[in-house]
Amino acid sequence: MLKEGDLSKTPKHIAIIMDGNGRWAKKRFLPRFMGHIAGVKAVKHVVEYCGAKQIEVLTLFAFSSENWRRPKDEVAKLMDLFIGTLDKEIGRLDKKNVRLRFIGERAEFSEKLQQKMSESESRTENNTGLTLVIAANYGGHRDITLATQALARQVKAGHLQPEDINENLIAAELSIPDLPEPDLFIRTGGEKRISNFLLWQLAYTEFHFTDKFWPDFNAQAMQDAVDDFLTRQRRFGRTSEQVEGPSEIN
Ligand code: FPP
């Protein structure tokens, strides 16, 4: 049984795999790319929701390291969409006190996109509202691999003993080490996979899957996911009796 305190615990960090843009478009006999354009609208809805509900962090999987395998034309159009959306939305995001951050390996993106990314990060770095993390060319395996390399370099330099490597040191070398780990993970589009998203950081996260295609996802769908989250009892390895405490047992 949940205690009242648990029910008031809204998630601090929500991470989303935005899936189903292509199928949304196909259902309407539209080119796949129209699904991505419609997907931007859904991004706006969830950013607004998070701002209004004082969610601290929203992480969106915009482009995985595996997405380069898509048809060249789709990749090129997605890149243009990212640049166009940043250009169009950065002013509004800044005004709304949103801090924008990117995770993933950006060196593979065009100079222009890389420049837009760093400009929007610096422009919003002192904002204190929602932190919007965009995962772009991100892969969880790669994140852990890069962290391992960083620790190996410290060992090689004699600054660290292998037996002193622990979970905290590994976590500190991963992307977004300063942010709370996701409380709630949402995947739209009906698939039930993590797809190499934040593998380490999702260890204790509650999962919510929905068949809705991403362009159909809106504030109400977000609220449904949060309501689902609020019914879960987060035990972090403890028993329910321990979590509920003596007052619930007696
Ligand atoms: C997955 O749908 C979606 C993507 C790979 C791209 C996500 C991009 C957006 C939502 C647009 C812009 C985002 C930002 C942050 C500006 P899919 O194409 O895999 O759909 P399918 O599974 O139906 O084919």
Side-chain angles (χ1 to χ4, degrees):
M1 194 185 142
L2 279 168
K3 286 195 291 184
E4 217 173 293
D6 297 326
L7 285 169
S8 64
K9 279 203 166 74
T10 47
K12 279 191 179 141
H13 181 172
I14 301 178
I16 307 183
I17 294 188
M18 311 177 286
D19 199 8
N21 292 351
R23 281 166 288 160
W24 180 91
K26 195 172 173 197
K27 221 174 95 181
R28 290 164 176 75
F29 306 102
L30 294 168
R32 285 181 58 80
F33 186 64
M34 294 304 287
H36 297 314
I37 293 180
V40 175
K41 266 198 200 145
V43 170
K44 289 190 205 165
H45 291 314
V46 295
V47 169
E48 261 163 41
Y49 173 93
C50 290
K53 299 283 177 184
Q54 279 139 28
I55 306 283
E56 289 177 24
V57 188
L58 172 67
T59 300
L60 301 176
F61 207 2
F63 194 84
S64 78
S65 39
E66 288 76 27
N67 283 151
W68 295 109
R69 297 180 195 147
R70 292 185 172 218
K72 265 205 175 92
D73 177 58
E74 182 173 342
V75 171
K77 281 185 171 152
L78 267 174
M79 296 301 140
D80 286 347
L81 183 65
F82 293 149
I83 293 176
T85 306
L86 271 181
D87 269 344
K88 218 169 128 210
E89 298 298 328
I90 190 63
R92 216 163 56 99
L93 290 171
D94 191 21
K95 240 189 224 153
K96 292 201 164 203
N97 201 19
V98 173
R99 180 174 179 192
L100 198 57
R101 290 172 68 171
F102 293 91
I103 58 170
E105 292 183 276
R106 47 183 101 179
E108 282 168 63
F109 291 126
S110 68
E111 285 291 332
K112 188 173 172 190
L113 181 50
Q114 288 185 52
Q115 199 186 329
K116 298 272 170 212
M117 286 168 148
S118 24
E119 274 172 16
S120 45
E121 282 179 326
S122 354
R123 177 166 171 178
T124 61
E125 75 184 337
N126 295 319
N127 288 351
T128 52
L130 172 73
T131 296
L132 174 59
V133 181
I134 306 288
N137 196 24
Y138 176 86
H141 281 169
R142 185 73 183 145
D143 201 2
I144 295 170
T145 303
L146 291 174
T148 308
Q149 288 179 1
L151 291 173
R153 278 194 293 274
Q154 292 177 39
V155 171
K156 193 177 173 192
H159 301 318
L160 182 66
Q161 294 304 311
E163 46 285 358
D164 290 335
I165 295 176
N166 58 28
E167 286 90 331
N168 291 339
L169 289 184
I170 296 172
E173 295 297 338
L174 295 167
S175 305
I176 49 170
D178 53 321
L179 299 178
E181 290 180 346
D183 304 292
L184 170 62
F185 162 91
I186 301 169
R187 182 173 186 143
T188 61
E191 311 288 356
K192 295 184 175 65
R193 291 192 285 270
I194 307 184
S195 297
N196 204 16
F197 199 21
L198 303 159
L199 297 180
W200 177 282
Q201 296 89 337
L202 292 174
Y204 289 103
T205 304
E206 296 294 334
F207 284 22
H208 175 88
F209 296 100
T210 166
D211 288 338
K212 271 187 195 305
F213 295 141
W214 177 249
D216 292 326
F217 200 79
N218 54 19
Q220 183 56 53
M222 191 74 164
Q223 186 59 52
D224 292 346
V226 170
D227 287 345
D228 182 22
F229 168 84
L230 293 174
T231 66
R232 315 280 179 92
Q233 185 188 51
R234 305 189 75 200
R235 297 208 292 268
F236 300 98
R238 296 185 296 258
T239 66
S240 51
E241 286 78 10
Q242 285 174 305
V243 175
E244 284 160 8
S247 61
E248 292 290 338
I249 297 167
N250 296 332

Short mmCIF file of all heavy atoms in Angstrom, two decimals, residues 157-215:
data_model
loop_
_atom_site.label_atom_id
_atom_site.label_comp_id
_atom_site.label_asym_id
_atom_site.label_seq_id
_atom_site.Cartn_x
_atom_site.Cartn_y
_atom_site.Cartn_z
N ALA A 157 47.43 6.73 -15.43
CA ALA A 157 48.21 7.86 -14.94
C ALA A 157 48.60 7.70 -13.48
O ALA A 157 49.31 8.54 -12.91
CB ALA A 157 47.40 9.14 -15.14
N GLY A 158 48.10 6.65 -12.85
CA GLY A 158 48.45 6.39 -11.46
C GLY A 158 47.60 7.16 -10.46
O GLY A 158 47.89 7.21 -9.27
N HIS A 159 46.50 7.78 -10.95
CA HIS A 159 45.65 8.57 -10.03
C HIS A 159 44.56 7.71 -9.38
O HIS A 159 43.85 8.18 -8.51
CB HIS A 159 44.97 9.72 -10.79
CG HIS A 159 45.93 10.66 -11.43
ND1 HIS A 159 47.08 11.09 -10.81
CD2 HIS A 159 45.93 11.25 -12.67
CE1 HIS A 159 47.73 11.90 -11.61
NE2 HIS A 159 47.07 12.00 -12.76
N LEU A 160 44.42 6.49 -9.84
CA LEU A 160 43.30 5.66 -9.36
C LEU A 160 43.73 4.20 -9.35
O LEU A 160 44.42 3.75 -10.28
CB LEU A 160 42.12 5.87 -10.34
CG LEU A 160 40.80 5.17 -10.07
CD1 LEU A 160 40.17 5.70 -8.78
CD2 LEU A 160 39.83 5.40 -11.24
N GLN A 161 43.33 3.47 -8.30
CA GLN A 161 43.60 2.03 -8.23
C GLN A 161 42.38 1.30 -8.78
O GLN A 161 41.24 1.69 -8.46
CB GLN A 161 43.83 1.60 -6.78
CG GLN A 161 45.09 2.18 -6.14
CD GLN A 161 46.34 1.84 -6.94
OE1 GLN A 161 46.56 0.69 -7.30
NE2 GLN A 161 47.13 2.87 -7.26
N PRO A 162 42.57 0.22 -9.58
CA PRO A 162 41.41 -0.48 -10.15
C PRO A 162 40.38 -0.88 -9.10
O PRO A 162 39.17 -0.75 -9.33
CB PRO A 162 42.05 -1.72 -10.80
CG PRO A 162 43.44 -1.31 -11.08
CD PRO A 162 43.84 -0.33 -10.03
N GLU A 163 40.86 -1.30 -7.92
CA GLU A 163 39.90 -1.75 -6.90
C GLU A 163 39.13 -0.59 -6.27
O GLU A 163 38.15 -0.81 -5.55
CB GLU A 163 40.56 -2.65 -5.83
CG GLU A 163 41.87 -2.19 -5.24
CD GLU A 163 43.07 -2.38 -6.18
OE1 GLU A 163 42.90 -2.92 -7.30
OE2 GLU A 163 44.18 -1.96 -5.79
N ASP A 164 39.56 0.63 -6.52
CA ASP A 164 38.83 1.78 -5.99
C ASP A 164 37.70 2.23 -6.92
O ASP A 164 36.93 3.14 -6.60
CB ASP A 164 39.77 2.96 -5.75
CG ASP A 164 40.71 2.68 -4.58
OD1 ASP A 164 40.34 1.86 -3.71
OD2 ASP A 164 41.82 3.23 -4.57
N ILE A 165 37.62 1.61 -8.11
CA ILE A 165 36.52 1.97 -9.02
C ILE A 165 35.21 1.44 -8.44
O ILE A 165 35.10 0.26 -8.11
CB ILE A 165 36.75 1.38 -10.44
CG1 ILE A 165 38.01 2.02 -11.05
CG2 ILE A 165 35.54 1.61 -11.34
CD1 ILE A 165 38.39 1.45 -12.41
N ASN A 166 34.26 2.35 -8.27
CA ASN A 166 32.96 1.93 -7.74
C ASN A 166 31.84 2.57 -8.57
O ASN A 166 32.11 3.31 -9.52
CB ASN A 166 32.83 2.29 -6.25
CG ASN A 166 33.01 3.79 -6.02
OD1 ASN A 166 32.72 4.60 -6.91
ND2 ASN A 166 33.49 4.15 -4.85
N GLU A 167 30.61 2.29 -8.21
CA GLU A 167 29.46 2.79 -8.98
C GLU A 167 29.47 4.31 -9.08
O GLU A 167 29.12 4.87 -10.11
CB GLU A 167 28.14 2.33 -8.36
CG GLU A 167 27.83 0.87 -8.57
CD GLU A 167 28.40 -0.01 -7.45
OE1 GLU A 167 29.43 0.36 -6.83
OE2 GLU A 167 27.81 -1.08 -7.20
N ASN A 168 29.84 4.96 -7.97
CA ASN A 168 29.81 6.43 -7.99
C ASN A 168 30.81 7.00 -8.98
O ASN A 168 30.52 7.96 -9.68
CB ASN A 168 30.11 7.01 -6.59
CG ASN A 168 28.98 6.72 -5.64
OD1 ASN A 168 27.85 6.46 -6.06
ND2 ASN A 168 29.28 6.74 -4.34
N LEU A 169 32.00 6.39 -9.03
CA LEU A 169 33.02 6.89 -9.96
C LEU A 169 32.60 6.65 -11.40
O LEU A 169 32.83 7.48 -12.28
CB LEU A 169 34.38 6.22 -9.69
CG LEU A 169 35.10 6.64 -8.40
CD1 LEU A 169 36.47 5.99 -8.32
CD2 LEU A 169 35.25 8.16 -8.35
N ILE A 170 31.98 5.50 -11.66
CA ILE A 170 31.51 5.23 -13.03
C ILE A 170 30.42 6.24 -13.40
O ILE A 170 30.49 6.89 -14.44
CB ILE A 170 30.98 3.78 -13.17
CG1 ILE A 170 32.12 2.78 -12.93
CG2 ILE A 170 30.35 3.56 -14.55
CD1 ILE A 170 31.70 1.32 -12.86
N ALA A 171 29.44 6.41 -12.51
CA ALA A 171 28.32 7.32 -12.78
C ALA A 171 28.83 8.74 -13.04
O ALA A 171 28.29 9.46 -13.88
CB ALA A 171 27.33 7.31 -11.62
N ALA A 172 29.89 9.12 -12.34
CA ALA A 172 30.42 10.48 -12.48
C ALA A 172 31.02 10.72 -13.85
O ALA A 172 31.16 11.87 -14.29
CB ALA A 172 31.46 10.75 -11.40
N GLU A 173 31.40 9.64 -14.55
CA GLU A 173 32.01 9.81 -15.88
C GLU A 173 30.99 9.72 -17.00
O GLU A 173 31.31 9.91 -18.17
CB GLU A 173 33.10 8.75 -16.11
CG GLU A 173 34.30 8.86 -15.18
CD GLU A 173 35.08 10.17 -15.36
OE1 GLU A 173 34.97 10.78 -16.43
OE2 GLU A 173 35.77 10.57 -14.41
N LEU A 174 29.74 9.38 -16.66
CA LEU A 174 28.70 9.24 -17.70
C LEU A 174 28.12 10.61 -18.06
O LEU A 174 28.42 11.61 -17.40
CB LEU A 174 27.57 8.34 -17.18
CG LEU A 174 27.94 6.88 -16.92
CD1 LEU A 174 26.82 6.21 -16.12
CD2 LEU A 174 28.17 6.13 -18.22
N SER A 175 27.27 10.63 -19.08
CA SER A 175 26.59 11.88 -19.43
C SER A 175 25.69 12.30 -18.27
O SER A 175 25.16 11.45 -17.56
CB SER A 175 25.68 11.66 -20.64
OG SER A 175 26.40 11.13 -21.70
N ILE A 176 25.46 13.59 -18.16
CA ILE A 176 24.59 14.21 -17.14
C ILE A 176 24.78 13.65 -15.71
O ILE A 176 23.80 13.31 -15.05
CB ILE A 176 23.09 14.21 -17.55
CG1 ILE A 176 22.61 12.83 -18.05
CG2 ILE A 176 22.81 15.26 -18.58
CD1 ILE A 176 21.08 12.74 -18.23
N PRO A 177 26.03 13.59 -15.21
CA PRO A 177 26.25 13.03 -13.88
C PRO A 177 25.65 13.90 -12.78
O PRO A 177 25.39 13.43 -11.68
CB PRO A 177 27.78 13.00 -13.75
CG PRO A 177 28.26 14.04 -14.69
CD PRO A 177 27.28 14.07 -15.83
N ASP A 178 25.44 15.18 -13.10
CA ASP A 178 24.95 16.12 -12.08
C ASP A 178 23.43 16.12 -11.96
O ASP A 178 22.89 16.78 -11.09
CB ASP A 178 25.43 17.54 -12.45
CG ASP A 178 25.04 17.91 -13.89
OD1 ASP A 178 25.12 17.03 -14.78
OD2 ASP A 178 24.65 19.07 -14.11
N LEU A 179 22.74 15.39 -12.83
CA LEU A 179 21.27 15.42 -12.79
C LEU A 179 20.74 14.16 -12.12
O LEU A 179 21.38 13.10 -12.17
CB LEU A 179 20.72 15.52 -14.22
CG LEU A 179 21.14 16.78 -14.99
CD1 LEU A 179 20.57 16.75 -16.42
CD2 LEU A 179 20.67 18.04 -14.27
N PRO A 180 19.55 14.25 -11.48
CA PRO A 180 18.98 13.04 -10.87
C PRO A 180 18.69 12.00 -11.96
O PRO A 180 18.39 12.36 -13.10
CB PRO A 180 17.67 13.52 -10.24
CG PRO A 180 17.35 14.82 -10.91
CD PRO A 180 18.65 15.42 -11.35
N GLU A 181 18.79 10.71 -11.61
CA GLU A 181 18.49 9.68 -12.61
C GLU A 181 16.99 9.69 -12.91
O GLU A 181 16.20 10.11 -12.07
CB GLU A 181 18.95 8.31 -12.08
CG GLU A 181 20.48 8.28 -12.06
CD GLU A 181 21.08 6.98 -11.57
OE1 GLU A 181 20.34 6.17 -10.98
OE2 GLU A 181 22.30 6.81 -11.76
N PRO A 182 16.58 9.23 -14.09
CA PRO A 182 15.14 9.31 -14.42
C PRO A 182 14.28 8.50 -13.42
O PRO A 182 14.63 7.39 -13.05
CB PRO A 182 15.07 8.67 -15.82
CG PRO A 182 16.43 8.80 -16.38
CD PRO A 182 17.37 8.70 -15.22
N ASP A 183 13.17 9.10 -13.00
CA ASP A 183 12.20 8.39 -12.17
C ASP A 183 11.23 7.65 -13.06
O ASP A 183 10.75 6.58 -12.72
CB ASP A 183 11.41 9.40 -11.32
CG ASP A 183 12.32 10.26 -10.49
OD1 ASP A 183 12.95 9.71 -9.57
OD2 ASP A 183 12.43 11.47 -10.78
N LEU A 184 10.93 8.27 -14.19
CA LEU A 184 9.93 7.71 -15.10
C LEU A 184 10.48 7.69 -16.53
O LEU A 184 11.02 8.69 -17.01
CB LEU A 184 8.67 8.60 -15.04
CG LEU A 184 7.57 8.36 -16.06
CD1 LEU A 184 7.00 6.94 -15.93
CD2 LEU A 184 6.44 9.38 -15.91
N PHE A 185 10.35 6.51 -17.16
CA PHE A 185 10.75 6.34 -18.55
C PHE A 185 9.48 6.07 -19.35
O PHE A 185 8.67 5.22 -18.96
CB PHE A 185 11.72 5.16 -18.65
CG PHE A 185 11.89 4.59 -20.04
CD1 PHE A 185 12.88 5.07 -20.89
CD2 PHE A 185 11.09 3.55 -20.50
CE1 PHE A 185 13.06 4.53 -22.16
CE2 PHE A 185 11.25 3.01 -21.77
CZ PHE A 185 12.24 3.50 -22.60
N ILE A 186 9.31 6.79 -20.45
CA ILE A 186 8.12 6.59 -21.29
C ILE A 186 8.60 6.20 -22.68
O ILE A 186 9.54 6.81 -23.21
CB ILE A 186 7.29 7.89 -21.39
CG1 ILE A 186 6.82 8.35 -20.00
CG2 ILE A 186 6.09 7.70 -22.33
CD1 ILE A 186 6.22 9.76 -19.99
N ARG A 187 7.96 5.19 -23.27
CA ARG A 187 8.20 4.91 -24.69
C ARG A 187 6.87 4.87 -25.40
O ARG A 187 5.97 4.12 -25.01
CB ARG A 187 8.94 3.59 -24.90
CG ARG A 187 9.23 3.37 -26.39
CD ARG A 187 10.09 2.18 -26.68
NE ARG A 187 10.41 2.15 -28.11
CZ ARG A 187 11.55 1.77 -28.63
NH1 ARG A 187 12.53 1.38 -27.84
NH2 ARG A 187 11.75 1.78 -29.93
N THR A 188 6.75 5.67 -26.45
CA THR A 188 5.52 5.65 -27.24
C THR A 188 5.71 4.68 -28.41
O THR A 188 6.78 4.14 -28.62
CB THR A 188 5.22 7.07 -27.79
OG1 THR A 188 6.30 7.47 -28.64
CG2 THR A 188 5.05 8.07 -26.68
N GLY A 189 4.64 4.43 -29.16
CA GLY A 189 4.75 3.68 -30.42
C GLY A 189 4.63 2.17 -30.27
O GLY A 189 4.81 1.46 -31.25
N GLY A 190 4.34 1.71 -29.06
CA GLY A 190 4.01 0.29 -28.89
C GLY A 190 5.15 -0.67 -28.64
O GLY A 190 4.93 -1.78 -28.17
N GLU A 191 6.39 -0.30 -28.96
CA GLU A 191 7.51 -1.22 -28.70
C GLU A 191 7.86 -1.18 -27.22
O GLU A 191 7.74 -0.15 -26.58
CB GLU A 191 8.76 -0.82 -29.51
CG GLU A 191 8.54 -0.54 -30.97
CD GLU A 191 8.27 -1.80 -31.79
OE1 GLU A 191 8.33 -2.90 -31.21
OE2 GLU A 191 7.96 -1.67 -32.98
N LYS A 192 8.35 -2.32 -26.72
CA LYS A 192 8.72 -2.36 -25.30
C LYS A 192 10.21 -2.65 -25.17
O LYS A 192 10.62 -3.75 -24.79
CB LYS A 192 7.86 -3.38 -24.57
CG LYS A 192 6.39 -2.97 -24.57
CD LYS A 192 5.52 -3.91 -23.78
CE LYS A 192 4.09 -3.39 -23.70
NZ LYS A 192 3.42 -3.35 -25.02
N ARG A 193 11.02 -1.69 -25.55
CA ARG A 193 12.48 -1.83 -25.52
C ARG A 193 13.11 -0.55 -25.01
O ARG A 193 12.53 0.53 -25.14
CB ARG A 193 13.01 -2.01 -26.96
CG ARG A 193 12.66 -3.28 -27.66
CD ARG A 193 13.50 -3.38 -28.93
NE ARG A 193 13.02 -2.51 -29.98
CZ ARG A 193 12.11 -2.86 -30.89
NH1 ARG A 193 11.59 -4.09 -30.85
NH2 ARG A 193 11.74 -2.03 -31.83
N ILE A 194 14.37 -0.68 -24.52
CA ILE A 194 15.12 0.51 -24.10
C ILE A 194 15.93 1.07 -25.27
O ILE A 194 16.32 2.24 -25.27
CB ILE A 194 16.09 0.20 -22.93
CG1 ILE A 194 15.36 -0.46 -21.77
CG2 ILE A 194 16.75 1.47 -22.44
CD1 ILE A 194 16.25 -0.69 -20.56
N SER A 195 16.23 0.21 -26.26
CA SER A 195 16.95 0.65 -27.46
C SER A 195 18.21 1.46 -27.16
O SER A 195 18.42 2.52 -27.77
CB SER A 195 16.01 1.46 -28.37
OG SER A 195 14.97 0.64 -28.82
N ASN A 196 19.04 0.95 -26.25
CA ASN A 196 20.36 1.58 -26.01
C ASN A 196 20.25 3.02 -25.51
O ASN A 196 21.15 3.82 -25.73
CB ASN A 196 21.21 1.50 -27.29
CG ASN A 196 22.69 1.57 -27.01
OD1 ASN A 196 23.14 1.38 -25.87
ND2 ASN A 196 23.48 1.83 -28.03
N PHE A 197 19.13 3.33 -24.85
CA PHE A 197 18.99 4.67 -24.23
C PHE A 197 19.81 4.66 -22.95
O PHE A 197 20.76 3.91 -22.84
CB PHE A 197 17.49 4.95 -24.00
CG PHE A 197 17.12 6.39 -23.79
CD1 PHE A 197 17.92 7.44 -24.20
CD2 PHE A 197 15.90 6.72 -23.18
CE1 PHE A 197 17.54 8.77 -24.01
CE2 PHE A 197 15.51 8.05 -22.98
CZ PHE A 197 16.34 9.08 -23.40
N LEU A 198 19.46 5.43 -21.96
CA LEU A 198 20.29 5.63 -20.76
C LEU A 198 20.42 4.33 -19.95
O LEU A 198 19.78 4.19 -18.91
CB LEU A 198 19.62 6.71 -19.91
CG LEU A 198 19.38 8.05 -20.59
CD1 LEU A 198 18.29 8.83 -19.87
CD2 LEU A 198 20.68 8.85 -20.62
N LEU A 199 21.24 3.40 -20.41
CA LEU A 199 21.23 2.06 -19.82
C LEU A 199 21.56 2.06 -18.33
O LEU A 199 20.86 1.44 -17.53
CB LEU A 199 22.23 1.16 -20.55
CG LEU A 199 21.95 0.91 -22.02
CD1 LEU A 199 23.01 0.03 -22.62
CD2 LEU A 199 20.56 0.29 -22.19
N TRP A 200 22.61 2.74 -17.96
CA TRP A 200 23.04 2.77 -16.55
C TRP A 200 22.02 3.53 -15.70
O TRP A 200 21.62 3.08 -14.63
CB TRP A 200 24.42 3.45 -16.48
CG TRP A 200 24.96 3.60 -15.10
CD1 TRP A 200 24.61 4.54 -14.17
CD2 TRP A 200 25.95 2.77 -14.46
NE1 TRP A 200 25.31 4.38 -13.02
CE2 TRP A 200 26.14 3.29 -13.17
CE3 TRP A 200 26.68 1.65 -14.87
CZ2 TRP A 200 27.05 2.73 -12.28
CZ3 TRP A 200 27.58 1.10 -13.98
CH2 TRP A 200 27.75 1.64 -12.69
N GLN A 201 21.59 4.67 -16.23
CA GLN A 201 20.75 5.58 -15.44
C GLN A 201 19.33 5.07 -15.25
O GLN A 201 18.59 5.59 -14.43
CB GLN A 201 20.70 6.96 -16.12
CG GLN A 201 22.04 7.69 -16.19
CD GLN A 201 22.83 7.35 -17.47
OE1 GLN A 201 22.63 6.30 -18.08
NE2 GLN A 201 23.73 8.23 -17.84
N LEU A 202 18.91 4.05 -16.03
CA LEU A 202 17.53 3.57 -15.93
C LEU A 202 17.39 2.39 -14.95
O LEU A 202 16.32 1.77 -14.89
CB LEU A 202 17.00 3.15 -17.32
CG LEU A 202 16.78 4.28 -18.33
CD1 LEU A 202 16.41 3.71 -19.70
CD2 LEU A 202 15.69 5.26 -17.87
N ALA A 203 18.44 2.12 -14.19
CA ALA A 203 18.45 0.92 -13.35
C ALA A 203 17.23 0.81 -12.42
O ALA A 203 16.68 -0.28 -12.24
CB ALA A 203 19.74 0.86 -12.54
N TYR A 204 16.80 1.92 -11.83
CA TYR A 204 15.68 1.87 -10.88
C TYR A 204 14.45 2.65 -11.36
O TYR A 204 13.54 2.95 -10.59
CB TYR A 204 16.12 2.42 -9.52
CG TYR A 204 17.06 1.46 -8.81
CD1 TYR A 204 18.42 1.72 -8.78
CD2 TYR A 204 16.57 0.30 -8.22
CE1 TYR A 204 19.29 0.84 -8.16
CE2 TYR A 204 17.43 -0.59 -7.60
CZ TYR A 204 18.80 -0.32 -7.58
OH TYR A 204 19.65 -1.20 -6.97
N THR A 205 14.45 2.97 -12.65
CA THR A 205 13.39 3.81 -13.22
C THR A 205 12.10 3.01 -13.42
O THR A 205 12.16 1.83 -13.76
CB THR A 205 13.89 4.39 -14.56
OG1 THR A 205 15.11 5.08 -14.33
CG2 THR A 205 12.89 5.32 -15.20
N GLU A 206 10.96 3.66 -13.23
CA GLU A 206 9.66 3.03 -13.54
C GLU A 206 9.38 3.22 -15.04
O GLU A 206 9.60 4.31 -15.58
CB GLU A 206 8.54 3.70 -12.75
CG GLU A 206 8.66 3.54 -11.24
CD GLU A 206 8.50 2.10 -10.78
OE1 GLU A 206 7.83 1.31 -11.49
OE2 GLU A 206 9.04 1.76 -9.72
N PHE A 207 8.90 2.16 -15.69
CA PHE A 207 8.67 2.20 -17.13
C PHE A 207 7.18 2.33 -17.46
O PHE A 207 6.34 1.67 -16.85
CB PHE A 207 9.18 0.91 -17.79
CG PHE A 207 10.69 0.86 -17.92
CD1 PHE A 207 11.51 1.63 -17.11
CD2 PHE A 207 11.29 0.02 -18.85
CE1 PHE A 207 12.90 1.58 -17.23
CE2 PHE A 207 12.67 -0.04 -18.98
CZ PHE A 207 13.48 0.74 -18.18
N HIS A 208 6.89 3.16 -18.43
CA HIS A 208 5.51 3.32 -18.91
C HIS A 208 5.53 3.22 -20.44
O HIS A 208 6.22 4.00 -21.10
CB HIS A 208 4.95 4.69 -18.49
CG HIS A 208 3.59 5.00 -19.03
ND1 HIS A 208 2.42 4.64 -18.40
CD2 HIS A 208 3.21 5.63 -20.17
CE1 HIS A 208 1.39 5.03 -19.12
NE2 HIS A 208 1.84 5.64 -20.20
N PHE A 209 4.81 2.22 -20.95
CA PHE A 209 4.75 2.05 -22.41
C PHE A 209 3.35 2.39 -22.90
O PHE A 209 2.36 2.05 -22.25
CB PHE A 209 5.07 0.59 -22.78
CG PHE A 209 6.48 0.19 -22.41
CD1 PHE A 209 6.74 -0.53 -21.25
CD2 PHE A 209 7.55 0.55 -23.21
CE1 PHE A 209 8.04 -0.89 -20.90
CE2 PHE A 209 8.85 0.20 -22.88
CZ PHE A 209 9.09 -0.52 -21.72
N THR A 210 3.28 3.06 -24.03
CA THR A 210 1.98 3.37 -24.61
C THR A 210 2.00 3.08 -26.11
O THR A 210 3.03 3.26 -26.76
CB THR A 210 1.56 4.84 -24.35
OG1 THR A 210 0.44 5.16 -25.20
CG2 THR A 210 2.66 5.82 -24.66
N ASP A 211 0.85 2.64 -26.62
CA ASP A 211 0.73 2.36 -28.06
C ASP A 211 0.60 3.64 -28.88
O ASP A 211 0.72 3.61 -30.10
CB ASP A 211 -0.50 1.48 -28.33
CG ASP A 211 -0.26 0.05 -27.83
OD1 ASP A 211 0.92 -0.34 -27.69
OD2 ASP A 211 -1.25 -0.67 -27.58
N LYS A 212 0.31 4.74 -28.22
CA LYS A 212 0.16 6.01 -28.95
C LYS A 212 1.41 6.30 -29.77
O LYS A 212 2.52 6.13 -29.28
CB LYS A 212 0.02 7.17 -27.96
CG LYS A 212 -1.38 7.47 -27.53
CD LYS A 212 -1.37 8.76 -26.69
CE LYS A 212 -2.66 8.93 -25.92
NZ LYS A 212 -3.86 8.91 -26.71
N PHE A 213 1.24 6.78 -30.99
CA PHE A 213 2.38 7.23 -31.77
C PHE A 213 2.81 8.59 -31.22
O PHE A 213 1.96 9.36 -30.74
CB PHE A 213 2.00 7.35 -33.26
CG PHE A 213 1.66 6.03 -33.90
CD1 PHE A 213 0.62 5.92 -34.82
CD2 PHE A 213 2.40 4.88 -33.59
CE1 PHE A 213 0.31 4.70 -35.41
CE2 PHE A 213 2.10 3.67 -34.18
CZ PHE A 213 1.05 3.57 -35.09
N TRP A 214 4.12 8.89 -31.33
CA TRP A 214 4.63 10.11 -30.71
C TRP A 214 3.85 11.37 -31.09
O TRP A 214 3.51 12.18 -30.22
CB TRP A 214 6.13 10.27 -30.97
CG TRP A 214 6.64 11.56 -30.39
CD1 TRP A 214 7.06 12.65 -31.07
CD2 TRP A 214 6.69 11.91 -29.00
NE1 TRP A 214 7.40 13.66 -30.20
CE2 TRP A 214 7.17 13.23 -28.92
CE3 TRP A 214 6.37 11.24 -27.81
CZ2 TRP A 214 7.35 13.89 -27.71
CZ3 TRP A 214 6.54 11.90 -26.59
CH2 TRP A 214 7.03 13.21 -26.55
N PRO A 215 3.49 11.60 -32.37
CA PRO A 215 2.79 12.84 -32.70
C PRO A 215 1.43 12.96 -31.99
O PRO A 215 0.89 14.07 -31.88
CB PRO A 215 2.60 12.77 -34.23
CG PRO A 215 3.71 11.88 -34.68
CD PRO A 215 3.85 10.85 -33.60
#
